[in-house]
Amino acid sequence: MVAQIPATVTVILAAVKRLLTALGPMTPERLLVALHDAGVELGRDPEETLADLLDSDELPLVMPLIDERHALLPALLDGRVFTHRLSAAEIEEGLVEVSPDLEPLSMLADSEPYQQLLDGAPLAVIFPDLDADLLAERGIPVDTISEAPAFLLPPDRLRALGLRPGGLVGFRLTGAGVDVTCVDEGNAVADADVGTRLAAILAGRGDDGPDQLDAVVWTACADDPDLFRTPLPPLADMLDAAGLACEGDQIAPAGFDFDSWRVGKQIESIQLLHDLDDDEALAVLVILSLYGQLADASDAATAAQLYDEAPQTVLEPSEAGPKAVAGRRPSGTDRDVAASSVVRATLKFLADPDVAEAVLVGAIGAGRDGAAALGLFAETLEPMAPRAARPPLRWLRAKADERLGNVIDAEAALDAAQGLDPTWPPVLFDLARYASDRGDAERGLALLRRAGARPDDSLVELLEHFRPQIRTDLGRNQPCWCGSGRKYKQCHLHREQLPLAERAAWLYQKAGIYLSDGPWRADVLDAAVVRAQHWDTPDALYAACQDPLVTDAVLFEGGAFADFLHERGVLLPDDERLLAGQWLLVERSLYEVEAVRAGQGFTVRDVRNGDRHDVRDRAASRQLKTGTLICGRIVPAGDTTQCFGGIEVIGLHERDELIALLDTALDPVDLITFLSRRFEPPELRNTEGDPLVLCEATLWVPDPAALAAALDATYERDDSDPAAPQWFEHVTTHGMPRIRATLRLEGDELRVDTNSEARLDRVLATLRTLLRSLTIIDEGRQPAHEIGEAMRRAGIPSPTGDETPTNVLDSSDPEVAAMLGQMARQYEQAWLDDSIPALAGQTPREAAADPTRRPDLIRLLDSFPPEQDRPGMMNPDRLRAALGLQ
C-alpha cells in the first residue's frame, strides 16, 4: 500500500477557513472529521498536526471559544453590530474606548479588511502607552486619556455622523470593512436575555474565575446566529443589568472580587517562579508592594524637583507597611506601630535566600530601572527590620549599587552584610565573584566553601582552574623567589599569579559572568533566538544562550564588554584592565588559515588587511585545515595571540558579503543572522536559480482554436495525445535544454504547470498578450519545503534523502556511462563561462585571468568531490586544464 502524501500547510489552512465559514464553529475533533470528508489528509498524526496549526500564528483569526470550539471570527461576526455610549472627549478626539462594549471586535482590527471603514478611511486599535507618537500627530494629549485600548477613527467622523455626548455609535462588521453609524437610542431595545446567556456560559465552565469577555460573547454568537444582528444597548449596560462583574477585557460571575483574584494570581506566580511556599510568596508580594509605593513616590519626587513643584510623601501609611519617609522614622501612632509590626514580621522572611532573590527579581529584574529606588528602600527599612533581615537588606543595597555601576559601594555593602552574618550564602557568593574579578582565586574559593558551594558550581570550577599552584621547589620558610627578602609564606604563598597569557581566558570569563548577571540578559536572549531559529532540538534556545558567537557578539558588537570595563574595570588587576582596553580596539575580521600546528595553534592571514597572526588555540588547531576561511576575533593575550568567542567557518561564496558586513557598524543580531545562515534548511531551486515552488493554473478559454494557433506560434507543440495537445517552453541552462513550462489544453480549459512562481508569472503574462479574454479559474502555488514537510508527516522518505531511488540510471552500462560522460562534459563547458557566486559573480575563465580571484578559483576546484572518474561527475582536472591552472 502506497502512503498518501498529506496536504501542505497552505492547503490545510485554506480548508480550515473554508469549513469554519461553511459549517460554523467546531471542536477540533469535529473539524478533523470535516477535513477528512473534504479529502484533506493531515498525515500520520492528524490530531497533533491540527492542534499545532490552531495554536500557531498561521490562523490568527481562528479563535477558541469557551466551550472548546474554534471559530473563524470574520465568518462568526459578519453583519453583527456592537454599540457604545460616547463621551464628549471621544467625539472630539475620534478615539473610542474598546472595553468592554467593542471588545468582541478588537481582535479583527489588526487584519485586512477590518483596518478600514466602509469608505476606505483607516481604523486602528491603539494603545496610548505604545502609540504616543500616533496620538501626538493627531494632537491628542496622552496624559488626558485612559490607558485602555481604543479605536482611532478619522478626526471628524463622529461629529459628521451627528453624534452627541451620551449618544450611541454602532460598529458593524462587513466583508468590506467596518461600518460606523449613529444608532437611535429608541431602536437599541434592551435584551435582558443577553446577560443571562453570558452568565450561563460563564457558569458552564466549572471555574469561578474570570474569562475573556470577547471569547464569552463569541460563544454566545456561535450559539445564536441572530444575536447582535440588530442594535442592542452597550455591553456595559447589559452586563450591569445582569449583575456580572466586568473589568477591562475580563468578565466574571456576579460578586467576583478582581482585586483578591489578582493578588492570588500574583502569589501563585511568585510561588511557581521561585519555588516558595504560601507564606514566603505572600511576604515577597508585600515587600514588593512597599517597594512599589516608594519607587512611585521617588519618581514623583524627582519629577517635582525637575518642575520645581512641592515634594510628596514617599510612602503613604497602609495596613501593609509603615509610613516611611526617606530619612524619617515612622510616626508613633497606634496605626503606625501596628504597621511597623507587620513590616517586621514580613521582613524576617528575607533571611531565606530564595525570598531575597525573589524580591530582587520582582523589583528590578535583570535591568537597571528602579535600582536607585531599591537601594533607598533597603536603607529606609533596615532600621526597623529584625536582625536576621538586615544582611539581606544590605545585600539588596549592594545589588542596587551594582546595577547602577557603583561596584566599590556595592562591595562595601557586601562586606558590611558579611559582618552582620558571615554565613549568609548570597553575600558570600557575590563576594566570591568580586574576589574573582580582583584575581584572588584563593579568597574566592574560601568564601565559596563557607557558603557551601557544590564542587561543580561554575564559579568554583572557574576559580579552581585559575588557582595558582603552590611552588614545590620552595619551603614555606625559605626566602621568597621574588627577591623581596621575606619568607615565601609571608610573601607569595597563596598569592602566586598566573602569567597574563593564562589569565586572558579568566578575563573573558569575568566578562561572560557580567553578561549573564546583569542588564544584558535580554540582549543575549534576542541574539540567541536568531542563532537557534533553525536548531530543531528541545533545548535549542538554552544552547544558543551559551553559544560562543552569541556571547561574543553581545559583548563586543553589542557594547556589553565596554560597559563591563567601565563598571567593573576598577576591580581588575592592572595588567588585565590594560588588556581589556586593548581588546576593545580589536575588530572582528575574516581570516584565511595558512598553516596549522596540530595541538598547538595555527597561523592566519587577515583577508581585509593582510596582517598575519600566530594563534595559540589547541582545540581549534585539531579541526582547522589550511585554506579554510574563518571569522572570529583574534586578540593579544600577554605574550601570545588568542581567539575568544568561537570560530565560524565561512564558505568562499560568502566572503565578499561578509567583508562588506564587517566594514559596517555591526549590530550583533545582523552579524549572528549572517553567520547562522549555514543552519538554514537547504532551499531547493531550479536550474535558473528560482526557489522551487510547484505552480499550476487553470484558465477558461473562450476560443480554444484561436488559443491553440497562438500557442503554436509561441511554444513547441506535442501532439502525443490528440485530445489534449501540450505545449512546452524550453530554456537552456548550463549548456543543456530544459522544460520551463508545460501547457495542456483540454476542451475550454488550459492548464499551466511550472516549478517556480517566476516561470508561472512569465507564462501568464505571455498568455494575456495572446488572448486577452482568458480567465484564471484556479491557481495553486506550493513551496517545495511544504511538500517535503507533508511527506515527513506522512512518513514517506524524501526523494532527496539517503534512500536510493529505484529509477537511478545504471552507470555500469557502457552506453549509459558514455551518455553521462557526455552530459558532464557539456556541463563543464557551460560552467566555465557561468557566473559563480563563490567567485563574486565572475566566471571561472574570468577568475583564472584575474590574479586577485585566481586563488579563490583554485580553492573552489580543490573543494570538488574526489570521485573524478564517476560517470556524470564534473572532473576538476579537466577544468584545471581548460583554465590553464595545471
Side-chain angles (χ1 to χ4, degrees):
M1 178 178 179
V2 178
Q4 185 173 358
I5 299 178
T8 63
V9 171
T10 301
V11 171
I12 297 173
L13 297 177
V16 168
K17 294 176 184 177
R18 185 172 62 252
L19 291 170
L20 290 177
T21 299
L23 304 178
M26 288 183 278
T27 63
E29 293 78 14
R30 176 70 186 88
L31 185 54
L32 276 175
V33 173
L35 288 167
H36 178 74
D37 292 345
V40 181
E41 295 299 325
L42 273 67
R44 288 181 297 179
D45 194 341
E47 292 85 359
E48 181 180 356
T49 297
L50 181 60
D52 288 345
L53 288 177
L54 292 176
D55 289 340
S56 72
D57 296 331
E58 302 280 0
L59 292 166
L61 297 182
V62 174
M63 299 301 296
L65 307 183
I66 298 300
D67 54 9
E68 298 185 356
R69 287 180 293 176
H70 282 72
L72 180 63
L73 293 187
L76 177 69
L77 300 178
D78 184 54
R80 303 189 198 249
V81 59
F82 296 88
T83 63
H84 173 73
R85 197 174 306 282
L86 290 165
S87 68
E90 287 176 314
I91 296 173
E92 177 67 23
E93 296 161 352
L95 198 63
V96 181
E97 285 195 16
V98 166
S99 298
D101 299 331
L102 306 177
E103 194 64 46
L105 298 177
S106 63
M107 184 73 71
L108 287 161
D110 286 331
S111 304
E112 292 287 353
Y114 312 108
Q115 294 175 314
Q116 64 179 25
L117 304 179
L118 282 183
D119 61 359
L123 174 68
V125 173
I126 62 100
F127 295 83
D129 54 340
L130 299 178
D131 298 302
D133 292 343
L134 180 59
L135 294 176
E137 290 177 9
R138 286 277 295 268
I140 302 174
V142 177
D143 55 356
T144 64
I145 60 178
S146 71
E147 297 180 357
F151 281 128
L152 184 64
L153 287 78
D156 298 326
R157 180 55 55 95
L158 297 177
R159 282 197 299 269
L161 292 174
L163 287 159
R164 298 290 182 267
L168 291 184
V169 62
F171 283 69
R172 184 189 303 273
L173 195 74
T174 76
V178 179
D179 185 18
V180 178
T181 59
C182 177
V183 175
D184 189 337
E185 184 86 31
N187 293 334
V189 180
D191 187 350
D193 189 41
V194 173
T196 303
R197 295 185 194 187
L198 299 182
I201 291 171
L202 286 170
R205 298 169 306 142
D207 183 356
D208 294 333
D211 215 317
Q212 294 301 117
L213 174 60
D214 53 8
V216 175
V217 174
W218 296 337
T219 304
C221 292
D223 293 337
D224 184 354
D226 296 325
L227 188 61
F228 295 108
R229 295 294 179 186
T230 57
L232 298 175
L235 270 173
D237 294 355
M238 293 188 288
L239 296 176
D240 287 343
L244 295 174
C246 183
E247 187 174 282
D249 60 356
Q250 292 187 311
I251 183 176
F256 184 79
D257 187 340
F258 275 96
D259 289 335
S260 297
W261 173 76
R262 271 193 299 271
V263 170
K265 285 296 182 183
Q266 287 175 303
I267 291 175
E268 181 182 335
S269 175
I270 292 170
Q271 283 181 288
L272 292 175
L273 183 61
H274 300 285
D275 193 23
L276 303 177
D277 62 29
D278 291 346
D279 291 340
E280 292 167 340
L282 178 59
V284 171
L285 186 60
V286 171
I287 295 171
L288 288 175
S289 176
L290 290 170
Y291 162 76
Q293 291 180 48
L294 186 141
D296 291 343
S298 179
D299 290 343
T302 301
Q305 185 179 19
L306 181 64
Y307 294 104
D308 197 23
E309 298 175 353
Q312 301 178 1
T313 303
V314 176
L315 281 181
E316 293 295 334
S318 70
E319 295 301 322
K323 177 172 34 176
V325 180
R328 191 176 84 190
R329 287 186 175 277
S331 69
T333 64
D334 292 341
R335 179 176 180 180
D336 290 333
V337 170
S340 295
S341 299
V342 172
V343 171
R344 286 178 60 85
T346 302
L347 291 179
K348 71 178 184 181
F349 284 95
L350 281 174
D352 185 325
D354 291 335
V355 172
E357 179 68 27
V359 170
L360 176 66
V361 171
I364 58 176
R368 304 182 195 274
D369 292 343
L374 179 62
L376 176 61
F377 171 74
E379 183 179 1
T380 301
L381 291 186
E382 186 176 338
M384 69 188 71
R387 183 175 181 82
R390 292 179 183 178
L393 287 169
R394 290 289 180 97
W395 177 76
L396 288 173
R397 286 174 59 182
K399 300 304 287 188
D401 279 329
E402 187 175 277
R403 293 294 172 83
L404 294 172
N406 305 324
V407 294
I408 297 301
D409 292 341
E411 189 176 28
L414 291 171
D415 283 330
Q418 182 188 204
L420 294 173
D421 183 351
T423 64
W424 202 62
V427 167
L428 299 176
F429 270 94
D430 278 346
L431 282 173
R433 179 190 169 193
Y434 277 77
S436 174
D437 281 357
R438 290 187 178 279
D440 193 343
E442 289 295 340
R443 179 169 185 263
L445 289 169
L447 289 164
L448 291 172
R449 283 193 294 270
R450 200 194 315 161
R454 295 167 54 93
D456 60 352
D457 180 87
S458 59
L459 188 53
V460 171
E461 292 181 338
L462 177 67
L463 295 179
E464 287 284 3
H465 181 77
F466 292 103
R467 181 184 192 181
Q469 298 299 312
I470 298 175
R471 294 188 61 155
T472 57
D473 59 338
L474 283 178
R476 292 168 54 86
N477 293 312
Q478 288 183 287
C480 186
W481 57 265
C482 70
S484 66
R486 303 169 66 194
K487 294 181 180 180
Y488 179 46
K489 67 180 181 182
Q490 296 171 333
C491 190
H492 271 88
L493 179 62
H494 300 308
R495 296 181 184 87
E496 298 280 2
Q497 191 177 56
L498 295 172
L500 185 58
E502 302 299 326
R503 286 183 284 121
W506 192 1
L507 171 61
Y508 193 84
Q509 293 279 8
K510 295 171 187 179
I513 294 173
Y514 169 81
L515 193 66
S516 63
D517 190 48
W520 290 90
R521 281 187 281 184
D523 299 80
V524 172
L525 184 59
D526 291 343
V529 168
V530 175
R531 184 66 161 170
Q533 62 182 320
H534 300 297
W535 294 1
D536 190 16
T537 58
D539 63 343
L541 187 57
Y542 175 80
C545 287
Q546 320 302 316
D547 185 79
L549 175 63
V550 168
T551 299
D552 199 68
V554 176
L555 279 174
F556 289 92
E557 280 77 14
F561 192 83
D563 276 9
F564 162 74
L565 185 56
H566 174 72
E567 293 177 19
R568 303 186 73 90
V570 66
L571 304 173
L572 299 174
D574 291 343
D575 56 353
E576 290 185 24
R577 185 166 58 253
L578 291 173
L579 181 61
Q582 289 180 282
W583 287 1
L584 284 176
L585 302 177
V586 176
E587 294 182 346
R588 189 182 305 276
S589 196
L590 178 65
Y591 303 92
E592 180 184 357
V593 178
E594 293 191 330
V596 176
R597 301 174 298 281
Q600 298 179 23
F602 52 90
T603 300
V604 295
R605 178 182 61 87
D606 191 324
V607 174
R608 298 163 71 197
N609 59 28
D611 291 347
R612 284 179 169 77
H613 304 277
D614 290 322
V615 183
R616 192 183 77 177
D617 193 319
R618 296 181 180 87
S621 68
R622 296 186 178 93
Q623 302 175 15
L624 294 177
K625 297 180 179 180
T626 301
T628 302
L629 292 175
I630 61 174
C631 181
R633 187 183 305 280
I634 293 176
V635 296
D639 58 359
T640 67
T641 301
Q642 299 181 32
C643 183
F644 298 110
I647 292 174
E648 295 285 313
V649 175
I650 304 301
L652 181 60
H653 64 286
E654 298 176 310
R655 186 189 67 173
D656 293 345
E657 188 178 354
L658 177 57
I659 290 175
L661 181 63
L662 293 173
D663 286 340
T664 65
L666 269 179
D667 175 84
V669 171
D670 291 341
L671 173 69
I672 293 171
T673 298
F674 183 92
L675 294 176
S676 299
R677 294 193 307 194
R678 59 191 173 97
F679 301 119
E680 294 178 3
E683 183 179 34
L684 299 177
R685 294 179 177 270
N686 61 27
T687 55
E688 288 185 279
D690 301 332
L692 205 60
V693 179
L694 300 188
C695 302
E696 61 180 43
T698 302
L699 299 88
W700 176 69
V701 183
D703 188 346
L707 177 64
L711 292 175
D712 285 340
T714 308
Y715 301 110
E716 178 183 337
R717 180 165 180 150
D718 174 22
D719 280 322
S720 56
D721 182 358
Q726 292 187 106
W727 288 264
F728 300 112
E729 180 184 19
H730 289 95
V731 63
T732 298
T733 58
H734 305 303
M736 300 180 65
R738 305 174 195 275
I739 294 178
R740 197 184 221 177
T742 301
L743 301 87
R744 183 181 179 90
L745 182 62
E746 295 186 57
D748 60 359
E749 290 187 359
L750 176 69
R751 172 167 171 160
V752 181
D753 291 283
T754 71
N755 65 7
S756 80
E757 293 184 284
R759 290 179 172 183
L760 178 63
D761 293 340
R762 187 183 300 111
V763 171
L764 293 178
T766 300
L767 290 174
R768 291 189 189 99
T769 65
L770 298 180
L771 191 63
R772 293 187 176 276
S773 55
L774 289 173
T775 303
I776 298 176
I777 57 178
D778 191 23
E779 184 176 341
R781 303 180 184 221
Q782 297 182 358
H785 70 85
E786 283 193 9
I787 298 173
E789 175 63 18
M791 296 176 68
R792 184 192 64 78
R793 292 201 308 270
I796 300 174
S798 169
T800 59
D802 295 333
E803 296 79 12
T804 302
T806 57
N807 61 343
V808 172
L809 294 174
D810 182 7
S811 60
S812 63
D813 185 318
E815 293 185 5
V816 171
M819 179 189 69
L820 292 174
Q822 182 181 2
M823 291 174 59
R825 285 176 170 79
Q826 286 180 318
Y827 190 90
E828 288 170 6
Q829 290 301 311
W831 183 83
L832 293 172
D833 297 298
D834 201 1
S835 175
I836 307 298
L839 301 175
Q842 287 191 338
T843 69
R845 293 191 198 277
E846 291 170 339
D850 183 347
T852 66
R853 288 293 175 187
R854 191 178 300 117
D856 294 340
L857 176 60
I858 294 171
R859 190 181 297 111
L860 178 63
L861 292 170
D862 289 344
S863 70
F864 279 28
E867 299 92 345
Q868 299 180 8
D869 297 327
R870 181 177 171 185
M873 296 291 291
M874 292 176 67
N875 188 309
D877 287 341
R878 285 200 298 263
L879 294 171
R880 291 188 184 95
L883 295 167
L885 297 177
Q886 284 186 323

